[in-house]
Amino acid sequence: MNEIMLPPQNIDYSLALRETNLSNQYWWQQLAAKWLQFSRYPQQRWLLFAEDSFDFSYCLFALLLAGKTPVLAPNKQAETLAKLLGKVDAVCADVAVENAPLQLDTGANASAEAVDLSNIGSKIAGELELHLYTSGSTGEPKLVVKRWRQLLAEVETLERQFGPQLEHSLICSSVSHQHIYGLLFTVL
């Protein structure tokens, strides 16, 4: 239950569209660069916010593979991000977060140094946590702690239920990956 199912490194296909196609190899390069970057810092709890699912996904997996705890903000409102700063050690975001103790941009821009992709782990400890917050639509956003093994169990259940019907489908999400359903259906 600790296996991480990342796209195979040796297959070339498009994962996302922007101004140009974003390939599987490019995703792996970005993952490797971010993993290397996160591994250099002792900070454990990282506030993660990226509007783009492609950038968010390699940052999320890089944090987990580096043994860090991703903390997902429910939105990018300055007030929300400021409140979460007291609960994290560092920030990785595509927006500037005022008074962040340490902030890295979500863009990895594939590190200039050579990174051996075979050194990237293929396992994420089942007990690693992911911290999510509810949207706060009925009051203050509430913390929801999910262990990696719990998220994998949810993904496996969804795969059993819907996998055969969706095998060759394009998935478009109207729910942000910062929220549990967007995370489960579009990133994991």
Side-chain angles (χ1 to χ4, degrees), residues 57-77:
S57 67
Y58 65 73
C59 288
L60 174 67
F61 286 113
L63 281 167
L64 290 167
L65 288 166
K68 309 296 184 181
T69 303
V71 178
L72 307 187
N75 59 59
K76 70 174 183 178
Q77 294 173 1

Side-chain angles (χ1 to χ4, degrees), residues 5-80:
M5 297 299 293
L6 296 176
Q9 293 180 33
N10 60 349
I11 297 175
D12 188 20
Y13 56 88
S14 293
L15 290 178
L17 297 174
R18 283 191 193 150
E19 302 82 43
T20 60
N21 284 344
L22 297 172
S23 70
N24 180 51
Q25 281 82 10
Y26 181 73
W27 188 88
W28 273 97
Q29 290 168 346
Q30 298 298 83
L31 171 73
K34 262 311 180 211
W35 170 73
L36 190 61
Q37 191 177 35
F38 291 137
S39 296
R40 291 184 177 137
Y41 290 97
Q43 287 79 358
Q44 182 60 37
R45 295 167 299 149
W46 287 75
L47 177 62
L48 176 58
F49 186 88
E51 287 195 70
D52 185 281
S53 294
F54 187 84
D55 294 342
F56 175 85
S57 67
Y58 65 73
C59 288
L60 174 67
F61 286 113
L63 281 167
L64 290 167
L65 288 166
K68 309 296 184 181
T69 303
V71 178
L72 307 187
N75 59 59
K76 70 174 183 178
Q77 294 173 1
E79 180 181 294
T80 302

Side-chain angles (χ1 to χ4, degrees), residues 54-135:
F54 187 84
D55 294 342
F56 175 85
S57 67
Y58 65 73
C59 288
L60 174 67
F61 286 113
L63 281 167
L64 290 167
L65 288 166
K68 309 296 184 181
T69 303
V71 178
L72 307 187
N75 59 59
K76 70 174 183 178
Q77 294 173 1
E79 180 181 294
T80 302
L81 297 175
K83 283 182 183 178
L84 291 175
L85 282 181
K87 299 173 184 353
V88 299
D89 307 313
V91 174
C92 181
D94 59 3
V95 295
V97 179
E98 198 170 317
N99 300 317
L102 166 68
Q103 178 160 354
L104 302 178
D105 189 274
T106 54
N109 298 323
S111 171
E113 57 185 289
V115 178
D116 182 0
L117 293 176
S118 65
N119 286 336
I120 295 203
S122 64
K123 294 183 190 244
I124 293 176
E127 295 308 309
L128 267 178
E129 293 178 346
L130 182 75
H131 294 190
L132 302 108
Y133 283 84
T134 61
S135 65

